[in-house]
Amino acid sequence: MASLLTAPAAVLLGTPPGEGPVLVIVPPWSDAPAILAASGGRPLGPVRAPFAVLAAFPSPESATQARAHGAWAVLGGAALAALCGVSDART
């Protein structure tokens, strides 16, 4: 049962962010703007959730640096779409 729950999480958390907006998962007690700034990012939108912030980074590499500055995870657009049940169904 545990593997059924952890496998999808491992895939989502292991997906490197690509170009475009990313979701940065942070501890609720952290300073999310400081984590973003330290890794070259900036928040998108006027409001952040308790555990996450939508952000823009100059490159996918700088987005992955957010983990080194205190973020729990950095999810790219593909991971966000998967969480929402959206697939690329272009034919």
Side-chain angles (χ1 to χ4, degrees), residues 1-15 75 79 82-83:
M1 182 66 152
S3 64
L4 291 175
L5 298 174
T6 57
V11 169
L12 290 176
L13 295 177
T15 303
L75 304 176
L83 284 173

Side-chain angles (χ1 to χ4, degrees), residues 2-35:
S3 64
L4 291 175
L5 298 174
T6 57
V11 169
L12 290 176
L13 295 177
T15 303
E19 297 292 328
V22 297
L23 184 67
V24 181
I25 312 293
V26 296
W29 56 84
S30 70
D31 183 358
I35 291 172

Side-chain angles (χ1 to χ4, degrees), residues 18-91:
E19 297 292 328
V22 297
L23 184 67
V24 181
I25 312 293
V26 296
W29 56 84
S30 70
D31 183 358
I35 291 172
L36 297 179
S39 52
R42 63 181 175 81
L44 297 176
V47 179
R48 81 177 271 267
F51 285 97
V53 61
L54 194 59
F57 289 88
S59 69
E61 294 78 24
S62 63
T64 59
Q65 289 300 311
R67 292 200 62 188
H69 296 286
W72 283 342
V74 179
L75 304 176
L80 289 172
L83 284 173
C84 297
V86 176
S87 64
D88 187 2
R90 288 183 267 174
T91 55

